[in-house]
Amino acid sequence: GTVADRRLACRLWSTQVNTPGFAPSQTCVRLAVKAALHADSVGLAMQAYQSVLQQQWPGVRSGYWLDKLLIYGLALNGRVLEAFELTDATADTSDGPAALQTAHKYELLLRALSRTRRADDAVSVFEHVCNTMRPTLGMYSSVAGVLASECGWKEAEKCLKQMEDNGFMVPDNVWKRVLLGVARRGHIDACDHILAVMAANNIACSHVVVQAAVDAYAQMGDVAMLARWTGVVVAALHAHAQLPNTRQRHISIDGKPAYTSSAVQPAFAESLTLARPESFTNDFVARNELVWHQAVLTSLLNAVGQHGTAQQVMRLWETLCEFRSRVSTLRFSPQMYMALARALAWHDLLVRYEPLILAWMRDAANGFSFSQKYEIELFVRSCIRGDRSVLKPPRTRAQPYEMELSDFVKDTGLQSHNSAQDCNATLK
């Protein structure tokens, strides 16, 4: 559920938990603890945990099911020491199911540390694991990912080598995770090196590569390259829009093709570099690859909003709206509307166009639930208030660069989304 859903669940739990005769089931307790941990209500989760330890509720006993929730949730909320102490206190490295449960607890702890980008803490926990048990593939994946995003390729490479030395084969998703991590640091050369390794291992390029490129050039503030990578997405959308509906449904997602081989051809592998985005287009089109993934489009809107102009943001949005009626796999997510709102807020235009954005968001074609719509509305209000936690001002600024609005849109030949077009016209 959304943040609003989780906060509502916390309020409901708070009103019931002290009621005389209240006897929740284990499932009810599990959902309440999970909602509290993901709604910044750690105190509420710890109270429920203590109640379970004290056996206040009949039929609800502590165990692995509750430990893993607390470990992951505490780490996500920055209470790393408490999460580690709980993991260590409940660890059992003897053979059998208990050892598997212990390994999973450490995996969850490292996954949370990776998600919150706590590289030093992740390395410390990983070293502790190496001294007490054999690390799992999931542990290596989390550590490699956080090292790539926070420390760079060299440190991530050491982790991957250790992984191979211990008998593991680095999976495709780990390489892509490392690629994304390095890209967020703006290290193009390291990204190209990883792409070469991926090509050598026949790991197909996918929307992950596009997102890596967008993240890397956004970090560098290179608007020209962002425009060229936008062109790659638009070219793939244009080619896909020409296909019949039956062919559109056989889309290739993350290198898993419908009809063709995902292996990277040698000639193509030699040209793999983020500096030549157009060299990827033919491969994406040939494999019918879903490069317009919602995460990619959200990153694009954020990047253009940070480093481009308001007109370029709306031109990009208009292009996406034009394709939506013809591309069955193009779905707008709540995060995309939030990115659009944030981008206009950066240009001091959100107050003016708030009604229009909210009207688009409420369109039934989006398929948003009531709570998703409510979450978008809360986000828009936070942007208007200037809440820095949602505006996330960029750490870098783009170099001065003059460009045309057409750099962010190709001639699609499709009927324009009227409301987006009208808004774009007023921004010019």
Side-chain angles (χ1 to χ4, degrees), residues 225-236:
M225 289 304 300
L226 286 173
R228 289 174 64 185
W229 274 101
T230 301
V232 173
V233 175
V234 170

Side-chain angles (χ1 to χ4, degrees), residues 5 20 43 60-61 68 127 170 203 221 243 272 275 346 357 378 402:
D5 289 335
V60 181
R61 298 290 181 265
K68 64 180 183 179
E127 290 175 348
V170 182
I203 302 173
L243 300 174
L272 282 175
W346 279 330
I357 292 177
L378 289 179
E402 295 296 331

Side-chain angles (χ1 to χ4, degrees), residues 13 36-37 40-50 74 77 79:
W13 175 264
L37 290 170
D40 299 324
S41 298
V42 179
L44 194 63
M46 294 305 295
Q47 289 175 10
Y49 182 61
Q50 291 299 324
L74 287 172
N77 284 276
R79 299 170 72 160

Side-chain angles (χ1 to χ4, degrees), residues 1-2 5 334 361 366-376:
T2 65
D5 289 335
M361 174 270 293
N366 290 314
F368 295 157
S369 66
F370 172 82
S371 58
Q372 286 176 317
K373 295 176 184 178
Y374 182 61
E375 187 174 28
I376 296 172

Side-chain angles (χ1 to χ4, degrees), residues 175-196:
W175 281 115
K176 291 173 181 178
R177 185 173 182 176
V178 170
L179 174 66
L180 286 174
V182 172
R184 292 187 183 105
R185 296 177 63 83
H187 294 169
I188 300 298
D189 292 342
C191 289
D192 290 345
H193 176 75
I194 296 171
L195 283 174

